[in-house]
């Protein structure tokens, strides 16, 4: 938990043996997005500039046959340090997702938080939003770490 602007923010965290470089490599490969983002089911297109600011991923969310075509845009990118994304949760709902990478020894500490950016869900208190998305975000980080570690044993 972190306090920001008088609000306690619950951030999902995960430590991995993978290097910051290895984790960034997974993030920088837009085609891997559905492999680590819970709810994303398939990729449709990746801008060649990904993950540069303004570039987009075009993906689908849901389970076949009920799929929604969506996109995610890079708002900020600091290579091997952080990535801030504007993700569409539904056609009318957007969320700002913030991922941070911090070297820890030969591995990496990952943090992820998100907040709804559009009404009416934006009006839900931040603490309630955090509690609702925490399990999903923690699973996203776990999957991201597994991809970066590329182990051959469970």
């Amino acid at each position: 938990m972190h306090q920001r602007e008088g609000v306690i923010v619950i951030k999902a965290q995960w430590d991995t043996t993978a290097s910051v470089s290895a984790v960034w490599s997974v993030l920088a490969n837009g085609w891997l997005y559905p492999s680590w983002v819970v709810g994303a089911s398939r990729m449709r297109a990746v801008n060649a500039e990904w993950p540069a600011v303004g570039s987009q991923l075009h993906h689908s969310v849901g389970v076949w046959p009920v799929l929604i075509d969506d996109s995610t845009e890079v708002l900020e990118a600091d290579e091997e340090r952080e990535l801030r994304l504007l993700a569409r949760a539904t056609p009318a709902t957007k969320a700002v997702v913030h991922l941070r990478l911090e070297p820890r020894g030969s591995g990496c500490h990952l943090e992820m938080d998100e907040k709804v950016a559009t009404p009416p869900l934006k009006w839900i208190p931040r603490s309630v939003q955090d509690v609702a998305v925490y399990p999903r975000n923690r699973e996203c980080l776990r999957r991201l770490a597994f991809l970066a570690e590329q182990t051959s044993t469970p």
Side-chain angles (χ1 to χ4, degrees):
M1 282 193 269
H2 300 277
Q3 188 153 354
R4 181 173 64 202
E5 300 168 13
V7 175
I8 294 176
V9 178
I10 301 169
K11 298 178 181 184
Q13 300 181 45
W14 194 268
D15 289 318
T16 176
T17 58
S19 67
V20 169
S21 248
V23 173
W24 186 262
S25 174
V26 174
L27 292 172
N29 183 343
W31 290 101
L32 292 177
Y33 190 77
S35 299
W36 65 271
V37 174
V38 174
S41 55
R42 67 178 177 200
M43 289 305 301
R44 298 183 342 266
V46 177
N47 288 157
E49 302 82 19
W50 181 267
V53 173
S55 63
Q56 292 186 353
L57 296 176
H58 303 275
H59 52 86
S60 300
V61 297
V63 178
W64 187 89
V66 183
L67 293 170
I68 298 170
D69 289 344
D70 262 338
S71 62
T72 296
E73 178 181 350
V74 177
L75 299 175
E76 295 177 36
D78 185 359
E79 189 171 344
E80 297 191 2
R81 296 186 49 117
E82 70 181 307
L83 194 57
R84 189 181 300 268
L85 307 170
L86 182 62
R88 289 189 339 174
T90 68
T93 306
K94 296 179 182 177
V96 175
V97 178
H98 193 186
L99 292 143
R100 280 169 297 290
L101 289 65
E102 179 184 313
R104 291 268 169 97
S106 61
C108 179
H109 176 74
L110 307 167
E111 286 187 357
M112 180 178 182
D113 68 90
E114 72 181 90
K115 65 179 181 177
V116 178
T118 51
L121 296 178
K122 179 180 180 176
W123 301 326
I124 295 172
R126 179 65 193 261
S127 58
V128 174
Q129 289 182 45
D130 287 348
V131 168
V133 299
Y134 175 82
R136 177 185 166 276
N137 288 349
R138 183 148 165 90
E139 177 61 17
C140 287
L141 293 180
R142 184 171 87 74
R143 293 177 183 192
L144 177 60
F146 285 158
L147 286 168
E149 292 165 5
Q150 297 186 11
T151 62
S152 59
T153 57

